[in-house]
Amino acid sequence: SRGAVKGASRGFTLAELMAVVAIIGILAAIGMVGYRKYINSARSSEALQMISSIKAAQESFRGETLGYLDVSGSLSNYYPQKPPADHDPVKIAWGGTGPGDTKWKMLNVSNTGPVMFGYATIAGAPGPVKPQGLEIVDKPPFGDATEPWYMIQATGNVNGDSVFSVYCATSFTNEIYVEKEGE
């Protein structure tokens, strides 16, 4: 009959809706943390690739000249420039006419795109090894070199928090030393 009450339709209560919103918020926060880690890891992989390129270039240079090329003079003289410390990370074009550009061209290190890290490489003759500007605390093994040597340092602020990731490689070992990777 027309006057009878039809079955009550059931909806969501306010508490149920708030629980769903809270769960979605938690999942979004977890997703953002994972995404940031992925981005920082991708940015850090640039340093490893460039260090490998610089190592190959130094070995090629030694094959032609019997010595490595001291490009930077100090591990604190970065190319293409020292990475910015206090703002969002930016990429800088590799190449150009900046300080040390001539020696980097002599070493024949190239990169097709911009870089986020600053790079320095020094070299020396056999004898005591005293690198200037070494920023890595867990220092690679070196002492008195019995043959020509080189060191490479890459420094970058991958997430804009004023904490730098530092990578170091030498001709003394095949390892790449890393501190604060991805910060």
Side-chain angles (χ1 to χ4, degrees):
S1 81
R2 289 186 89 174
V5 178
K6 293 186 177 183
S9 62
R10 169 111 165 95
F12 294 107
T13 65
L14 182 58
E16 291 171 332
L17 288 175
M18 288 181 68
V20 169
V21 169
I23 291 170
I24 290 172
I26 291 169
L27 291 174
I30 291 170
M32 286 302 294
V33 169
Y35 177 73
R36 284 190 181 144
K37 284 183 180 180
Y38 172 75
I39 293 298
N40 290 343
S41 174
R43 289 176 177 168
S44 296
S45 67
E46 170 208 306
L48 298 173
Q49 182 271 325
M50 285 300 295
I51 286 174
S52 294
S53 294
I54 295 168
K55 287 177 82 167
Q58 284 283 24
E59 293 299 335
S60 177
F61 190 86
R62 183 176 183 190
E64 295 175 14
T65 65
L66 303 178
Y68 298 114
L69 182 61
D70 187 356
V71 176
S72 305
S74 166
L75 290 173
S76 58
N77 293 331
Y78 293 100
Y79 184 81
Q81 72 177 31
K82 188 168 181 82
D86 296 322
H87 53 78
D88 289 336
V90 295
K91 290 192 169 196
I92 308 295
W94 186 270
T97 57
D101 183 58
T102 303
K103 286 190 175 180
W104 282 101
K105 286 180 181 173
M106 282 177 57
L107 193 57
N108 199 21
V109 174
S110 62
N111 190 31
T112 57
V115 294
M116 183 163 290
F117 284 75
Y119 298 91
T121 183
I122 60 172
V129 177
K130 297 180 182 175
Q132 299 294 318
L134 185 63
E135 294 181 20
I136 199 156
V137 175
D138 183 19
K139 293 179 175 49
F142 54 84
D144 287 346
T146 58
E147 57 185 61
W149 57 271
Y150 68 82
M151 294 184 85
I152 304 164
Q153 184 165 271
T155 304
N157 182 8
V158 298
N159 62 5
D161 65 356
S162 299
V163 177
F164 288 86
S165 295
V166 182
Y167 297 75
C168 182
T170 72
S171 58
F172 303 112
T173 178
N174 286 330
E175 295 180 51
I176 296 178
Y177 296 83
V178 181
E179 286 185 359
K180 301 176 189 155
E181 182 176 21
E183 308 168 53

